[in-house]
Amino acid sequence: MQTARITQMTTTREAQRGVRRTTTAGEPSARRLATRERLMDAAVELFGERGVLAASVEEICERAGFTRGAFYSNFESKDELCLGVLQRKGEQHLTAMQAAIDAIPDLQGRTMSTEELIREAVRVFLEAQPKEVPEQVAMMELRLHAVRTPELRAGWLAVHEGISKSVSDLLAIALDRVGARLAMPSDQVIELLGAVYETTVSMSLLRGEERPTGLAQQLATLLDALIETDCTP
């Protein structure tokens, strides 16, 4: 189910951005996907080190070990690559959420309270997240780049909305499994969780920490406050 959501999100993004497909089957080959991944990895490293504007296409290619031709056969521009990085980050969040949801039945078998279930699910979610500092910095840089680049905002918002919708769907599945509901609309809950996540990571980076301090506690406390276990009308 989660794979289908990711495929649908990717299809939507490519339709919006006009990403080209070059394989006869209409899907990227394994080699092409590997090339895209290496280019995005290199871009994330450079964005984290120097910022989006300071990192040129040439430098990204050099860091990844590819030519400019390889770059432009995968991305029409550096801005399209930026959207690809955002999409990939969103898919990582979805994969982490799915891992947390999949753990719920086993956790319930241990007769855990709803609060304990929430904290364990948050732990599983965070354990599945990439923890490298350059990537955390890169995501902040990318967000600022979108704010500064009017022609990029529509694509950025479209990707963000697609990811948020998938997160909302997965959250609904998780709540259904534990017989709970949200105390406010799911889109508002997701925005609050995102704000707490980003703020906690930012403060952790400012303090020079390798891992965000208190992130699991912050997310679990917020979810605990926003989830109602009495679903009686």
Side-chain angles (χ1 to χ4, degrees):
M1 182 180 296
Q2 183 254 356
T3 301
R5 287 194 185 91
I6 290 176
T7 301
Q8 182 180 11
M9 289 161 50
T10 304
T11 302
T12 300
R13 177 179 67 85
E14 290 179 351
Q16 291 162 338
R17 298 294 300 167
V19 177
R20 296 162 297 187
R21 294 186 181 273
T22 60
T23 59
T24 57
E27 293 292 335
S29 65
R31 181 177 179 181
R32 181 179 175 82
L33 287 173
T35 299
R36 288 172 63 86
E37 287 295 310
R38 283 175 58 184
L39 286 167
M40 287 192 286
D41 287 343
V44 166
E45 290 178 6
L46 287 166
F47 294 164
E49 293 170 8
R50 304 177 54 195
V52 178
L53 293 178
S56 67
V57 170
E58 289 79 6
E59 288 173 309
I60 293 171
C61 292
E62 182 179 355
R63 180 71 63 95
F66 292 119
T67 63
R68 285 172 58 91
F71 180 94
Y72 286 111
S73 68
N74 284 277
F75 301 101
E76 293 181 352
S77 64
K78 187 169 76 173
D79 283 346
E80 187 178 285
L81 177 144
C82 290
L83 291 178
V85 170
L86 173 64
Q87 181 75 24
R88 184 175 68 168
K89 183 65 175 178
E91 291 170 2
Q92 290 170 349
H93 281 308
L94 294 176
T95 299
M97 280 192 70
Q98 188 67 58
I101 291 170
D102 290 343
I104 289 175
D106 292 335
L107 297 175
Q108 287 176 313
R110 288 155 51 184
T111 63
M112 301 175 73
S113 67
T114 301
E115 181 179 352
E116 290 172 326
L117 280 169
I118 290 172
R119 294 184 185 284
E120 184 63 13
V122 168
R123 185 193 68 77
V124 173
F125 172 79
L126 293 179
E127 280 298 315
Q129 294 289 335
K131 301 175 181 64
E132 293 78 10
V133 169
E135 181 173 1
Q136 295 169 350
V137 176
M139 295 310 297
M140 297 178 191
E141 290 284 348
L142 285 165
R143 207 171 294 116
L144 287 173
H145 180 59
V147 171
R148 297 183 182 118
T149 312
E151 59 270 23
L152 182 59
R153 292 175 194 166
W156 182 274
L157 289 172
V159 173
H160 175 76
E161 289 167 7
I163 292 168
S164 296
K165 175 60 170 61
S166 294
V167 170
S168 179
D169 291 344
L170 286 174
L171 185 57
I173 294 171
L175 292 170
D176 183 65
R177 287 195 179 181
V178 298
R181 66 183 180 187
L182 294 174
M184 60 191 300
S186 62
D187 59 335
Q188 295 178 21
V189 171
I190 291 167
E191 291 298 326
L192 284 173
L193 290 170
V196 169
Y197 184 96
E198 292 165 11
T199 300
T200 305
V201 169
S202 298
M203 293 305 298
S204 178
L205 290 172
L206 287 170
R207 289 191 290 264
E209 299 170 348
E210 292 187 3
R211 298 287 184 270
T213 300
L215 180 56
Q217 177 67 35
Q218 294 272 26
L219 293 175
T221 299
L222 179 56
L223 277 171
D224 190 47
L226 295 173
I227 290 178
E228 300 175 343
T229 55
D230 181 8
C231 296
T232 302

